[in-house]
Amino acid sequence: MAEAANFIEQFIDEDLAAGKVSAIQTRFPPEPNGYLHIGHAKSMFVNFGTAEKYNGKCNLFFDDTNPSKEKTEFVDAIRRDITWLGYHWEKEVYASDFFDTIYAYAEQLILDGKAFVCDLSAEEIKATRGTLTEPGTESPYRGRTPEENLRLFREMKEGKYRDGEKCLRAKIDMASPNVNMRDPVIYRILRATHHRTGDKWCIYPMYDYAHPICDYLQGVTHSLCTLEFEDHRPLYDWVGINLGFAPKPRQIEFARLNVTNLVMSKRYLKKLVEDGSVHGWDDPRMPTLAGLRNRGIPAAAIRDFCSRIGVAKANSECEIGYFEAVVREYLNANAPRAMAVVEPLKLTITNYEGSEEVDFEINQLDPAAGTRKVAFGKHLFVERSDFSLDPPPKYFRLKLGGYVRLKNAYIVRCDDVVTDEAGNVTEVLCSYVPTSRSGEDTSGIKAKGVLHWVNADTCVDAEVRKYDHLLKDADYAGQDFSERMNADSEHIFAAKADPALAQAEEGTAFQLMRTGYYKKCTEGGKLVLSEIVSLKDNFNK
Ligand code: ATP
Ligand code: MG
């Protein structure tokens, strides 16, 4: 057996060595109330990854005990996103598959005197729960006999009571130091149409009660979840012990993934979609898997990121720059290179006539990718920001009287500019050095700056979209995400691009030289280049 890579694997190794389990079964348990986000990718990495390491199995388990928020649309999106990320589930299971059994177990608890029907309202239950330092107060209905409880519980199921009029509570200990053990509610009355069972039920089990049962019924050996469930583990175990589960699944908690500048709560992501702050669940700024996919981020980079940050028992926050660095690594190795000019400025080579083709390496890190031809000519575009009329010292880009190399082509000298009435430069006039062609340069001229360019006669119009983070830096941190919202996170430019970009396959990720990594797509016949990640690595490893 491979060496344990983290504390979860150590626990599993102990259980295997002690003969408590023989084959490993896990589950990935999303609630179908929204789209999966990058935090879920970590949960999948842990659940699917652990099963795979032990030659075990991992189910896709839909935790659908909360009908008012769950939808088939979300079920479909979750299945699609897991598959895209590259994971395969053994069985697809729903908590609702087990509603009959979960109900039968509740009757068993009632008959064993371990659950009672309570008439207190939700507010009254909350008010009598006590605090971390004070015990709670026992419900006046706690002494009902099993027969009376059974009758009332069946009446609850049959729809005799209004929503919230009664509930079923486990009878545990109102003085427990763990608040979750103070006679927790395990069934509530709720009239809501369930996305799978329709109106069959008007009572629904609570998560803490249903989850250990669903784990057991699926044969889960290790129920891996995030740290906020640590305080719920005594209840998880109570359910298993009192229902006589053998072998009882073991719950192990690990730290959530938190990333700076990313909103990672389905509830809040949903709000952004609903109030129109983003274009949808798959907006490229969203940390949802659908958004990351639409952004052009490779699934392999997300899996690799989860693997590299590791599995820990203590919560921490990962820098967004680290995630971006991993993505950049993948794209740098695989993305073809191309040129596009985001804020075009005309450049005319006054002493050049005719046209020719120059060679471009498709990816200098991958010689096997080969080269392609790019048309060069008299009329070009360069970046407006690559020219300065009033350059600071050591300015190596275009300036009057200065030399630069046009990438893979010639050295040019800037001789003059054309300005409009307001004095803005509208065109730069250059002369080229005929002996300076890349690869055969005998000019002896040193040009420190190398600029990317596009050919004005062959280029295509493109829309370039650049993105900032949806959340401002942690320095702005208020507890409320809305205080950290970056209202101006999408920037659109009218650009000029190499025609090869228009011909490329939809969705291809390119490195636009000196600009960044961009995904090519076509919208309404228009070429759109959408930022995946910047070129600069400003993350300090
Ligand atoms: P959210 O808080 O975003 O609404 P959730 O926990 O309610 O997420 P679920 O659908 O219940 O979402 O999550 C499915 C699984 O993914 C759970 O086991 C949960 O612990 C895990 N998970 C959710 N967010 C993260 C995260 N940021 N890091 C690691 N695991 C996560
Ligand atoms: Mg949840």
Side-chain angles (χ1 to χ4, degrees):
M1 189 192 307
E3 205 181 319
N6 58 50
F7 73 98
I8 294 177
E9 295 181 9
Q10 279 167 13
F11 285 154
I12 294 179
D13 287 348
E14 282 166 23
D15 291 346
L16 286 166
K20 287 187 187 163
V21 293
S22 52
I24 302 306
Q25 171 80 56
T26 60
R27 85 286 170 268
F28 170 61
E31 183 179 353
N33 63 351
Y35 280 56
L36 298 180
H37 52 62
I38 188 168
H40 294 108
K42 175 166 181 183
S43 177
M44 280 187 254
F45 170 77
V46 173
N47 280 294
F48 286 101
T50 306
E52 193 182 331
K53 173 150 181 184
Y54 287 88
N55 278 321
K57 291 169 181 162
C58 180
N59 287 346
L60 169 55
F61 172 67
F62 284 105
D63 168 29
D64 58 350
T65 52
N66 202 356
S68 48
K69 297 194 180 136
E70 296 154 5
K71 285 201 235 161
T72 306
E73 174 203 345
F74 297 135
V75 169
D76 295 340
I78 289 170
R79 300 171 90 250
R80 189 163 60 233
D81 290 343
I82 301 173
T83 304
W84 172 70
L85 202 55
Y87 292 113
H88 308 281
W89 55 89
E90 182 69 16
K91 286 190 200 141
E92 180 175 326
V93 188
Y94 295 76
S96 52
D97 293 340
F98 303 125
F99 278 172
D100 288 315
T101 314
I102 295 170
Y103 174 84
Y105 276 131
E107 288 205 348
Q108 183 184 325
L109 288 177
I110 290 171
L111 290 173
D112 291 343
K114 291 171 181 165
F116 65 97
V117 172
C118 185
D119 298 3
L120 296 181
S121 66
E123 295 73 45
E124 286 165 329
I125 290 176
K126 201 168 166 207
T128 52
R129 202 165 48 185
T131 64
L132 287 177
T133 49
E134 301 274 324
T137 318
E138 289 186 355
S139 160
Y141 306 99
R142 205 176 195 262
R144 281 176 169 156
T145 62
E147 293 68 33
E148 188 184 4
N149 282 318
L150 190 62
R151 178 177 58 79
L152 293 171
F153 186 51
R154 287 181 176 168
E155 288 175 355
M156 277 169 61
K157 177 182 165 222
E158 280 149 21
K160 201 161 165 200
Y161 304 107
R162 281 174 285 113
D163 287 9
E165 191 178 343
K166 288 187 177 0
C167 64
L168 186 70
R169 297 174 70 178
K171 197 189 234 183
I172 309 180
D173 179 7
M174 288 307 288
S176 169
N178 184 329
V179 180
N180 295 311
M181 298 295 274
R182 295 181 187 168
D183 293 1
V185 175
I186 61 175
Y187 258 97
R188 63 204 160 130
I189 305 174
L190 176 69
R191 283 170 180 82
T193 303
H194 189 278
H195 72 113
R196 292 181 80 236
T197 58
D199 295 318
K200 176 177 173 191
W201 297 88
C202 66
I203 58 171
Y204 290 95
M206 303 302 286
Y207 173 89
D208 278 341
Y209 165 68
H211 205 80
I213 297 176
C214 294
D215 279 346
Y216 176 67
L217 295 173
Q218 289 173 77
V220 166
T221 55
H222 295 86
S223 183
L224 312 176
C225 62
T226 37
L227 273 183
E228 69 272 22
F229 293 103
E230 195 170 20
D231 288 346
H232 299 238
R233 189 177 352 120
L235 180 52
Y236 183 95
D237 289 339
W238 183 91
V239 172
I241 291 166
N242 286 283
L243 291 175
F245 294 168
K248 190 175 71 56
R250 176 174 185 178
Q251 177 178 303
I252 305 172
E253 308 87 13
F254 59 91
R256 286 178 92 81
L257 170 64
N258 296 303
V259 183
T260 57
N261 303 81
L262 292 190
V263 196
M264 212 105 80
S265 137
K266 264 190 266 175
R267 201 162 47 93
Y268 197 72
L269 294 175
K270 192 172 188 162
K271 184 170 166 288
L272 295 180
V273 173
E274 282 167 2
D275 71 14
S277 301
V278 294
H279 306 303
W281 284 100
D282 68 348
D283 185 296
R285 292 164 294 175
M286 290 280 271
T288 51
L289 295 179
L292 296 170
R293 174 173 62 234
N294 192 18
R295 180 102 178 210
I297 290 180
I302 299 174
R303 292 197 308 268
D304 190 23
F305 167 69
C306 292
S307 152
R308 292 202 215 173
I309 53 174
V311 181
K313 187 77 197 178
N315 276 322
S316 63
E317 197 174 44
C318 174
E319 262 187 63
I320 183 75
Y322 183 61
F323 175 61
E324 291 173 353
V326 174
V327 171
R328 198 175 286 120
E329 230 177 272
Y330 270 77
L331 296 172
N332 191 27
N334 300 308
R337 276 50 174 168
M339 295 195 291
V341 168
V342 179
E343 290 179 284
L345 173 64
K346 260 190 188 167
L347 184 153
T348 303
I349 306 177
T350 50
N351 62 340
Y352 187 94
E353 295 305 329
S355 65
E356 67 192 285
E357 288 185 320
V358 296
D359 284 321
F360 261 80
E361 276 178 304
I362 289 174
N363 182 347
Q364 73 280 14
L365 299 179
D366 178 14
T371 60
R372 65 183 173 85
K373 304 278 184 202
V374 174
F376 182 78
K378 184 181 180 80
H379 301 288
L380 309 174
F381 287 111
V382 293
E383 291 291 346
R384 183 162 288 279
S385 60
D386 277 337
F387 175 80
S388 177
L389 255 189
D390 181 21
K394 298 203 173 167
Y395 186 82
F396 298 124
R397 291 175 280 163
L398 259 191
K399 59 188 172 194
L400 279 169
Y403 287 93
V404 293
R405 174 172 292 284
L406 296 173
K407 179 84 184 157
N408 286 16
Y410 291 96
I411 293 177
V412 295
R413 189 187 66 213
C414 178
D415 303 318
D416 203 357
V417 296
V418 179
T419 53
D420 63 13
E421 281 156 22
N424 300 310
V425 176
T426 54
E427 183 177 358
V428 290
L429 304 174
C430 295
S431 48
Y432 87 117
V433 181
T435 53
S436 66
R437 200 178 199 270
S438 285
E440 48 202 59
D441 180 3
T442 55
S443 70
I445 298 171
K446 287 261 174 293
K448 281 201 173 162
V450 180
L451 307 190
H452 63 282
W453 50 273
V454 295
N455 184 324
D457 295 326
T458 59
C459 70
V460 291
D461 288 329
E463 177 174 311
V464 161
R465 298 179 185 160
K466 295 191 180 196
Y467 303 108
D468 288 331
H469 300 304
L470 275 178
L471 280 194
K472 291 184 216 158
D473 285 335
D475 309 347
Y476 287 83
Q479 281 301 46
D480 183 10
F481 280 133
S482 53
E483 288 168 35
R484 286 179 63 192
M485 262 312 271
N486 179 4
D488 188 24
S489 54
E490 184 183 57
H491 308 280
I492 303 215
F493 301 86
K496 303 280 183 188
D498 180 334
L501 286 161
Q503 285 142 25
E505 197 182 320
E506 282 299 287
T508 306
F510 281 92
Q511 185 195 92
L512 297 184
M513 281 175 182
R514 300 181 61 233
T515 302
Y517 293 96
Y518 282 76
K519 187 184 88 162
K520 176 261 161 113
C521 45
T522 312
E523 277 181 26
K526 185 172 56 180
L527 172 63
V528 174
L529 299 167
S530 166
E531 183 179 30
I532 305 171
V533 67
S534 64
L535 203 58
K536 274 260 182 51
D537 189 345
N538 47 19
F539 179 70
N540 185 2
K541 286 173 208 173

